[in-house]
Amino acid sequence: MITSPILGIPLGILFLAVAFGFLKIYRIPTGGMSPTLQKGDSLIATKTKAEIGKLQRGDAVVFTVDGLRYRIHRGDPMRGTYVQRIVALPGDTVTIDSGAVHVNGVRVEMDGRVSQAPMTTVETASFPLVVPEDHLFLMGDNYANSLDSRYFGPVESSRVTHLPRYRILPPSRFGEID
């Protein structure tokens, strides 16, 4: 039982924010965003309207994949929610050359790591690819082990629902998500 209003008020606000969907807690089921987010991590994300003008290359986003298709599973529709990073914005040109991902002629680099991932075959995209208006090209930080826009193509910005903010579990990894 909470007896202190000093503790009770913030917990009540947190409860209401989660109940009304302004905050959401996600558990990471795969290593596709490793090392930023590891399998088993839990995070808090804030609700957003995906306004293209506010999103930037390098931002991590939470988005729905419901109904997207990719070749690996015979085109079966996908379901669920993913966390990935924006690699390219509308109008950007994405190329993949020997596994290296380039955006507008510059090799993608995150956290000091340059992209080196297997070339993929997608039904929805071919490279070079110009990201359509109101779409984003998304990739997981674990380039070699991420089911991302290389497989299912650019994603409509309207699919972005939340922005990941903090890792909350495990306690040893608590902190802001870059």
Side-chain angles (χ1 to χ4, degrees), residues 40-63:
D41 283 357
S42 291
L43 61 92
I44 289 180
T46 57
K47 189 171 184 136
T48 187
K49 284 190 100 171
E51 298 176 32
I52 290 288
K54 293 183 180 179
L55 297 174
Q56 300 175 18
R57 277 183 217 94
D59 288 348
V61 295
V62 177
F63 63 102

Side-chain angles (χ1 to χ4, degrees), residues 122-135:
V122 297
E123 294 178 358
T124 56
S126 60
F127 299 94
L129 173 139
V130 176
V131 179
E133 186 174 330
D134 294 325
H135 284 68

Side-chain angles (χ1 to χ4, degrees), residues 113-148:
R113 298 175 302 119
V114 293
S115 61
Q116 187 60 44
M119 181 59 180
T120 60
T121 305
V122 297
E123 294 178 358
T124 56
S126 60
F127 299 94
L129 173 139
V130 176
V131 179
E133 186 174 330
D134 294 325
H135 284 68
L136 303 166
F137 192 89
L138 305 167
M139 288 178 61
D141 288 355
N142 184 353
Y143 302 121
N145 188 25
S146 175
L147 179 58
D148 52 39

Side-chain angles (χ1 to χ4, degrees), residues 11-160:
L11 287 177
I13 292 170
L14 179 63
F15 173 79
L16 289 173
V18 170
F20 286 103
F22 298 113
L23 292 178
K24 191 151 185 181
I25 298 172
Y26 293 97
R27 187 163 191 276
I28 304 301
T30 70
M33 275 295 287
S34 181
T36 306
L37 298 170
Q38 296 179 8
K39 184 177 181 177
D41 283 357
S42 291
L43 61 92
I44 289 180
T46 57
K47 189 171 184 136
T48 187
K49 284 190 100 171
E51 298 176 32
I52 290 288
K54 293 183 180 179
L55 297 174
Q56 300 175 18
R57 277 183 217 94
D59 288 348
V61 295
V62 177
F63 63 102
T64 62
V65 296
D66 294 347
L68 293 178
R69 295 178 182 275
Y70 62 102
R71 179 172 279 170
I72 294 172
H73 287 260
R74 297 176 298 260
D76 294 339
M78 299 168 63
R79 290 187 186 85
T81 304
Y82 282 32
V83 178
Q84 292 183 350
R85 199 168 297 281
I86 298 172
V87 172
L89 297 165
D92 287 343
T93 300
V94 179
T95 56
I96 298 180
D97 181 26
S98 301
V101 180
H102 293 80
V103 176
N104 301 328
V106 177
R107 189 165 182 179
V108 172
E109 181 180 327
M110 291 183 218
D111 298 329
R113 298 175 302 119
V114 293
S115 61
Q116 187 60 44
M119 181 59 180
T120 60
T121 305
V122 297
E123 294 178 358
T124 56
S126 60
F127 299 94
L129 173 139
V130 176
V131 179
E133 186 174 330
D134 294 325
H135 284 68
L136 303 166
F137 192 89
L138 305 167
M139 288 178 61
D141 288 355
N142 184 353
Y143 302 121
N145 188 25
S146 175
L147 179 58
D148 52 39
S149 287
R150 294 171 294 164
Y151 294 92
F152 48 72
V155 173
E156 298 94 344
S157 60
S158 61
R159 290 179 174 272
V160 174

